[in-house]
Each structure stands twice: as C-alpha cells, then as structure tokens.
Amino acid sequence: MSKSNPVHKLVDAVADAVSDRRDRDRSHVPGAPGAEPAQVAEPTEPRAPLPTKPDQGAPDTVSATGRGGGGAADVRAQNGGYLTTAQGARLPDSDHSLKAGPRGPVLLQDHHLREKITHFDHERIPERVVHARGAAAHGVFRGYGTAGAVTRAAFLAEGVETPVFVRFSTVLGSRGSADTVRDTRGFATKFYTTDGVFDLVGNNIPVFFIQDAIKFPDVVHAAKPHPDREIPQAQSAHDTFWDFVSLHTEATHHTLWNMSDRGIPRSYRMMEGFGVHTFRLVNAEGASALVKFHWKPRLGVHSLVWEEAQLIAGMDPDFHRRDLADAIEAGALPQWELGIQTFPDSPEQTFQGIDLLDPTKIVPEELAPVQPVGLMTLTANPTNFFAETEQVAFHPGHLVPGIDITDDPLLSGRLFSYLDTQITRLGGPNFAQIPINRTHAPVNDMLRDGFHQDAVHGGVAPYKPNSLDGGCPFFAGGTEHAYIEHPTPIAAASKVREAPASFADHFTQPRLFWLSLTSVEQQHVIAAYTFELSKVYEPAIRERTLGVLANVDPTLCAEVAAGLGLPTPEPTVALPQAEPSPALSQLGAEWPAEGRVIGIVADPTSDAGLVREVRDAVRRAGMTALVVAPTGAPLADDLPVQRTFAAARSVEFDALVLLATPAPGVDDHGARDAKSNGPSAVDSRVALLVNEAYRHAKPLGGHPGARAVWTAAWVDPQAPGVLTGEDLAEVVARLAGLLGAHRVWDRFPAPIARP
C-alpha cells in the first residue's frame, strides 16, 4: 500500500498523537503511586480527594440502561474531605472500637465497627476459574472502512471511533500467581459500539487444546495444580497436564505453540491476539463470509528467554501488568491493528482443505492474507482494579449486527459457559449493569429485578405484546439495526456424539508450525519440552509424549529424548507434508523500539552532563531511561536514581548503557547481598547485571572505559550487539536499531539448521 492510503494516514495520525503526548514530559519516569507527591508529615488539614492520575480512565458514565454518558469521570469516586460511614455520616475516629471504658469490653452498638468489619469480610468475590490473573486498560478503536464489503458491523466503518476495554491474562494461575509463567495469554476486548457491546474474547495463540467444549473441564482440571497438594501453581510442567495432552493428540498443535517463545511474551504490548474460532460476517446485502480475527501489535511479537521469565517471577511477579501500566503512563501507548482472514461461506466450511470449524487448526497467512480493518490504541489505565479489571465480564455471545457465530463445537460450549460463569462470579444476572460492563446503546430489555439491580424501571408491562405501556418496546427490523441471525441451512442428520473425519488430523499443522520457526526458535522449543518433561514424575508419560513428538518431527523428538536420557521412538504415522509459513515466526522483521526500558549504569564519578545526554537520547527514541547507581542518592540535582546496584536485575531492561566502571560498593559482599561474587575491580552486582543481559542476547553499549566491565562480566567486546564508542548518542541510536529485532540472536548462533 502507498503512504497515501487512508489506512496508513490513520496509523500515522494516531502515532503522531502518541508522540506528542510523550514529548510533553520527557523527564517523567512512570510508576508514581499517586496524583501528587507524598509529604513526610501526615496531612491534617481537610481537603477534597486527590484527582485521578493523568494516565487513568474510567468507564463512561452511562446509566444502567445505556443513557447519558460523557459526564465527569470521577462522578462514581469517593466524595468529600471527611471520613464517613457508607451512609454518609461523618466519623471522628476509625482507630478505636466503642468500648465500656478504655479497657472495657467492645459494645455491640458500635455500628461503625460492624459496618467496617462486615464489609471487609465480604470484599472478595470468586476469582475466575481460568484467566484469574489479569491486567487491563481503556482505549479506542477506529475503523478503517475496509471491511464494508463483508460486514455491516457499524464500528468497522471508516473513521468510526469506538471506546474499548481490553483485559490480558494468563490462563492457569490464581490471582496471586506470577505474570511470566509459561502459559497461554487471554486477549479479550470489549467494544462499546452504538449497536451494543461486542466482545472479541481470544488468546495470544490462534488454536486451542481441544476441539469440543465438552472436554474443557478435563483440560483445565489436568492443567491446574494437582488436587491433593495444590502444586505446581500457574504452570504446565507436571504429570496431569502431560498425561492429558499426550493422550489427547488433538492438543499437540496448541501445546507446541505454548512450548515456543509464544508461551512467555516479553509484554502484553508485544503479543498477537486471535479470535481462535471461525466466525461469520454478514454484509448490508445479507451475503455472508467466514472470518478469523487477528490482532497485530505495532511493536511486533517478542518474547522473553526462559531464564528471564524465571528470574522475573521472583524479582517482579507483576512484570506484565506493570509494563502495560507504565507504558501508558509514559505515553508509549500500545497499539494493535485488527485484521481479518475471510473465506467463502461454503456448505463444507473448509478452505484449502482446512476445516474452518476445527479450533485446533489455523489458515496460514500465505494462503489467506490478513486484511487490516481498524486500529486500537490503549489510552488510559483503570482507576480501580477491582471495579474494572476484576469485574469486567466478557462473553462470546455479545455480538452486534454483521457478526455471527458458526457451528464450531468449542465456541458453542463457550456461549453457554461464559454467561453461566458471570452469574456466579458477579452475584446474579445483572452483571451487565456494573459500570465497566454497561453498554453505550439504549437498553429496553424487559428483564427485571434480581440481585444488584441498578436500573429503576418505569412502566407496568414488562412483557410482549402489551398495550398498557403503549406497546413499548417494539421489535426492530434490519433497517433499524436489529441483530438478525444469518439464515444458515441446517442439514438433516442423526444425533451422534462424534467428530467429523476432518478433525482427525492432529499432526500436519503442528509440523507446519515447527517447520515455520527459525533455528533459534526451534532450540527454544526443544529446551521447553525438555524442561517441562523433566518435571514429570511418571516415566510412562515422558515416553508417551516422545511418541507424540515423533509424529511431528524427528529432530524435535530426538533432541528432547536426548535431554531426558531416553531412547528416540519411531513415528506411528507417516510424517506429514507441510509447507512452512514464515508469518508464524517472530523473527526476521524490524519493529519500533518505543516503550523499551534502557538501564543507564552510572556512579558519582560519572559525568553528569553525559548521563543527561544519554538519558535524553533514550527518551527522544521513545524509550524509557532508568538510571542505575550504587545508592539511591541523586547523581545531581536533576538526575534522580531509579535503581540501585542492590535492587536492579537485568530482567528489568531491554538494553544497558554503561557510563561508569563502578568500584565495589560498601554493600558488595555476600553477607549483605547474595548477588555479590566477592572482591573484584568492578562491583560484582554490575558484572552480574551485564553478564545476564549479554547471555540473554540484549544489546549493550558503553563508553571506552566500559571495557573493564566487559572483562569482569565475561562479555566479548567484539560480539554482535556490544557497542563501545565516544559518541554515546550514536551508541543509543544503534541500540534502538538493534531493539527493532528485539534481541541480538546472531550473538549465539543456533547449532541445528532448520530441517
């Protein structure tokens, strides 16, 4: 496409707006907990509550029935400068119960004590069975108008701007689990369209473990912690998971994706999203097409290396949610293009021999290109995690005119399960009235009463037909934007518990995925399978899984078997023929470096002007600069320190720039800091920081004096991505260029060539 294309113009316009926001305050480092700096002394002068932070947003102020909107964002927030009861009575004290004398018994009449404790006792709601661990943000979606030929969905029309709320999540872990475990990630988007709410509830992996929803409880029970010990938490490296997937070979494709780098994304901002299922689109003339939805991140698709993921789980278990919030606060607003693959809506519902109703299959982009239809930008963090991120309720059955479902058996079960789940989690059938879930379209549903009913309904006739309410509400036709199911023919058939024969091929697409990876990505898959299966106790499960891998690729199977010390089994089926799909690899393209975190290592001997120069060069490149120094004392009046040698770890940074050769600090000894490696010419924590970044294939830069650090950290100064020079602004520019590929993978060439 040419740059005059309206799609590119819209992308550029939004990117410019993001850049303008960031440029307004280049000195800001994200992470401030409040809207104003805290004071040392406790404030005692009454004042109104502080405003929300500039990076925060809130659900629109529509009523429970979709009326109003556009009011003050804090209209639902706490109000007044004095502590009150829930009924608004001001309180003089909240530290002492009402007692009969200072040492006397607590009195039952203490209504404030009872209200405070009772509410506290009921603060928690059931966490999600899956996707309990999540993070979310507000944003806006703008349609390109390129989908008009295949769907009448109004929010996809050119220039239409639709508010969205997006929740990312892990699948297996509890709310308190770590972000960087190897797992599938949820990617759920709520569009507040003028025709009602549309929920696109997908994952960062385009296929699923199972082909039929009736097995969903089984796969989740297998993947969750063992029921006797409740371990391991939030991971698949255990017997019950591998027992299930090795017996259900339809899970092989999803499992292979999960064992690839896709299972440990660098950031939610650098993660693809997929609708998983095949949906149906209907245009204004009533013609239908089948479709698969894709979210393409503007920053590209990037991942952690496994050691990083493990270190982060201990150093910062909130890594992904912190990264998302910090990026939005810093003005590096995350963006994704929504794209569609479309296929003829034929009676067979297949494309190029691929069954479109099988959720364990993809259609390679080389066969059906992804056409961009809109751009999503996340613009604000939630104001309150519980009210928004925890209470948001998604449902694949929340559809709008122009988008319909298919007979995918996994999707059919989700249409029941999600609705049923929300009723339990959110206390009844009125969960759609919670502010974050409220539609921005008028509601006249004749649904009444129930737990947590927020609407105050008028009229006397919540039934159809009626005359007492003047016949209202009335039925709509297609010209009034009614949701009309596409009249899909249903063939006469016998009731059976079977799957179509086309669902039986469980190995061709896993082999396609394996062959599509570069050598370094294949090495990571081998390492992941070896690690996971080494945690499996039962030898029979390891052997059975190797038998599955033998039917995917002989090299993959042999390498994993060697790592486990087991013989390599022979395949039980003919090795499938598959053409690689380069679009499935994360490597090989260049992407923006915006939002990356650069650590600037300095000490009191560093030239303050040079530190400022490097910091500003990092910020001009759209990245975040964090100064790392021996202590938290500022290096100069305008040079605050964000990390100390004791607190910093390489996993926080995408690249490092060294402006000092720090001598050992007073706390550089094992009794104080276990990261210390004993006396040396360079602080051993800095040497560890640099060594880890080097081994994780991250770009490194520094002034000529950094060579002493390279030596202490066992870094080859001639290795790819190790940059030394006098012009540090140029070094930063080169680092940003290297980060366009995410890692310097050619620093460690993979020993096994692609088959």
Side-chain angles (χ1 to χ4, degrees):
M1 293 183 183
S2 70
K3 274 293 185 180
S4 61
N5 187 287
V7 170
H8 288 294
K9 287 183 177 180
L10 182 57
V11 172
D12 292 342
V14 177
D16 289 344
V18 171
S19 179
D20 289 344
R21 173 174 170 176
R22 185 180 60 245
D23 289 345
R24 284 196 291 271
D25 185 6
R26 292 192 181 278
S27 64
H28 177 68
V29 173
E36 295 181 5
Q39 305 301 313
V40 174
E42 179 184 357
T44 56
E45 186 68 26
R47 57 167 293 175
L50 293 178
T52 57
K53 294 167 57 182
D55 63 286
Q56 292 177 328
D60 199 1
T61 54
V62 293
S63 74
T65 54
R67 303 182 73 176
D74 63 353
V75 70
R76 288 181 291 258
Q78 60 270 28
N79 186 28
Y82 294 93
L83 180 67
T84 73
T85 67
Q87 311 307 316
R90 291 182 179 179
L91 292 164
D93 182 283
S94 191
D95 290 334
H96 305 93
S97 300
L98 189 65
K99 300 186 286 288
R103 297 179 62 82
V106 174
L107 301 178
L108 184 61
Q109 71 184 64
D110 189 346
H111 61 93
H112 173 43
L113 168 68
R114 285 184 284 117
E115 179 186 75
K116 185 176 180 180
I117 293 296
T118 298
H119 193 283
F120 172 77
D121 289 344
H122 296 269
E123 279 183 1
R124 295 293 175 265
I125 63 174
E127 68 174 34
R128 290 167 170 87
V129 176
V130 288
H131 298 278
R133 174 76 179 181
H138 297 274
V140 63
F141 177 86
R142 297 180 69 183
Y144 291 159
T146 53
V150 290
T151 179
R152 65 189 184 100
F155 75 97
L156 294 175
E158 183 175 2
V160 173
E161 194 168 285
T162 302
V164 297
F165 189 73
V166 182
R167 186 177 188 270
F168 306 100
S169 56
T170 54
V171 172
L172 296 180
S174 66
R175 278 191 61 191
S177 58
D179 280 347
T180 59
V181 294
R182 183 178 295 280
D183 197 1
T184 306
R185 265 71 181 176
F187 192 133
T189 307
K190 186 176 290 290
F191 297 81
Y192 302 94
T193 86
T194 55
D195 288 330
V197 165
F198 169 52
D199 286 345
L200 182 54
V201 196
N203 288 332
N204 74 321
I205 290 176
V207 293
F208 203 62
F209 287 106
I210 51 174
Q211 296 168 325
D212 193 308
I214 200 168
K215 289 189 274 194
F216 189 75
D218 299 312
V219 67
V220 173
H221 289 166
K224 284 285 191 176
H226 291 199
D228 53 349
R229 300 186 180 188
E230 188 61 15
I231 55 174
Q233 176 61 243
Q235 57 182 295
S236 55
H238 56 92
D239 285 66
T240 58
F241 173 79
W242 288 100
D243 185 39
F244 179 87
V245 299
S246 61
L247 291 169
H248 280 75
T249 52
E250 69 197 65
T252 304
H253 194 191
H254 185 111
T255 304
L256 195 60
W257 276 76
N258 217 26
M259 294 301 107
S260 77
D261 292 339
R262 304 280 185 145
I264 43 174
R266 158 62 179 84
S267 162
Y268 290 137
R269 300 177 292 124
M270 303 165 196
M271 192 175 80
E272 275 186 301
F274 303 91
V276 179
H277 308 287
T278 298
F279 291 83
R280 177 176 280 109
L281 299 182
V282 183
N283 67 14
E285 289 72 41
S288 65
L290 300 182
V291 64
K292 285 185 175 291
F293 291 106
H294 297 249
W295 287 112
K296 297 287 188 181
R298 194 173 68 88
L299 298 179
V301 185
H302 307 297
S303 296
L304 302 169
V305 297
W306 180 230
E307 186 187 27
E308 267 188 301
Q310 293 176 296
L311 289 171
I312 292 170
M315 291 292 297
D316 185 6
D318 306 307
F319 182 76
H320 282 152
R321 61 171 58 174
R322 189 187 311 280
D323 173 272
L324 179 67
D326 283 357
I328 293 172
E329 184 181 348
L333 304 184
Q335 292 182 311
W336 290 259
E337 274 196 312
L338 179 63
I340 56 174
Q341 288 179 298
T342 57
F343 319 99
D345 192 359
S346 64
E348 298 79 18
Q349 297 179 312
T350 63
F351 182 79
Q352 300 282 329
I354 300 168
D355 194 324
L356 297 174
L357 298 188
D358 184 348
T360 69
K361 303 291 195 299
I362 63 167
V363 177
E365 294 183 28
E366 291 77 14
L367 299 181
V370 176
Q371 303 295 325
V373 298
L375 178 71
M376 179 172 72
T377 305
L378 299 186
T379 58
N381 289 309
T383 297
N384 183 275
F385 185 92
F386 176 80
E388 299 167 78
T389 307
E390 189 63 19
Q391 290 197 117
V392 66
F394 297 96
H395 177 27
H398 291 165
L399 302 165
V400 291
I403 303 177
D404 204 345
I405 60 170
T406 61
D407 294 331
D408 177 335
L410 178 63
L411 177 58
S412 297
R414 293 180 74 198
L415 293 171
F416 169 80
S417 179
Y418 279 67
L419 181 62
D420 192 44
T421 294
Q422 310 306 350
I423 291 173
T424 296
R425 285 197 68 245
L426 300 173
N430 291 310
F431 61 87
Q433 295 181 16
I434 295 171
I436 193 62
N437 296 322
R438 289 180 182 177
T439 179
H440 295 186
V443 174
N444 197 344
D445 54 18
M446 296 196 303
L447 305 176
R448 294 293 185 267
D449 307 337
F451 285 108
H452 311 302
Q453 176 60 257
D454 288 338
V456 182
H457 296 103
V460 297
Y463 51 83
K464 287 289 292 180
N466 76 76
S467 63
L468 294 178
D469 281 346
C472 188
F474 298 91
F475 293 115
T479 57
E480 293 86 20
H481 301 282
Y483 184 88
I484 301 173
E485 287 81 3
H486 186 68
T488 308
I490 299 178
S494 301
K495 292 187 290 186
V496 296
R497 292 189 183 272
E498 298 176 2
S502 56
F503 279 36
D505 180 2
H506 298 166
F507 298 113
T508 299
Q509 290 222 335
R511 178 157 178 76
L512 181 154
F513 180 72
W514 167 259
L515 293 177
S516 301
L517 302 180
T518 62
S519 295
V520 67
E521 290 171 301
Q522 290 180 343
Q523 289 293 313
H524 295 166
V525 171
I526 292 167
Y529 270 104
T530 306
F531 173 88
E532 296 262 324
L533 293 174
S534 71
K535 298 290 185 177
V536 170
Y537 183 88
E538 291 291 344
I541 297 174
R542 298 185 192 183
E543 294 175 17
R544 188 193 308 141
T545 303
L546 289 174
V548 174
L549 295 183
N551 293 334
V552 175
D553 185 84
T555 300
L556 170 62
C557 181
E559 290 293 318
V560 175
L564 297 174
L566 294 173
T568 304
E570 293 297 321
T572 57
V573 299
L575 204 62
Q577 297 298 311
E579 287 294 321
S581 170
L584 297 177
S585 172
Q586 296 184 196
L587 307 186
E590 295 292 320
W591 304 95
E594 289 181 9
R596 299 306 181 99
V597 180
I598 310 301
I600 301 174
V601 179
D603 67 11
T605 69
S606 300
D607 183 332
L610 194 59
V611 178
R612 293 188 194 94
E613 178 186 341
V614 172
R615 181 193 63 183
D616 293 344
V618 169
R619 289 169 176 165
R620 282 194 301 273
M623 303 183 292
T624 297
L626 299 181
V627 176
V628 187
T631 72
L635 298 180
D637 290 344
D638 61 341
L639 279 180
V641 170
Q642 284 79 41
R643 299 290 187 273
T644 65
F645 295 166
R649 201 68 188 259
S650 66
V651 293
E652 293 186 86
F653 309 108
D654 294 289
L656 295 173
V657 180
L658 273 70
L659 303 184
T661 307
V666 295
D667 56 345
D668 183 15
H669 57 84
R672 177 78 65 83
D673 190 342
K675 298 194 302 298
S676 174
N677 195 32
S680 65
V682 174
D683 189 295
S684 63
R685 284 86 52 87
V686 173
L688 176 63
L689 181 79
V690 173
N691 175 263
E692 285 180 348
Y694 178 77
R695 290 189 291 101
H696 298 161
K698 296 178 179 180
L700 301 172
H703 62 77
R707 294 184 183 278
V709 181
W710 302 153
T711 300
W714 297 90
V715 168
D716 177 2
Q718 304 303 316
V722 181
L723 311 175
T724 307
E726 295 282 357
D727 187 346
L728 289 174
E730 172 63 20
V731 168
V732 169
R734 292 171 63 192
L735 286 179
L738 291 172
L739 286 172
H742 185 58
R743 308 265 180 183
V744 189
W745 291 120
D746 53 352
R747 183 180 295 164
F748 307 113
I752 298 178
R754 187 192 301 189

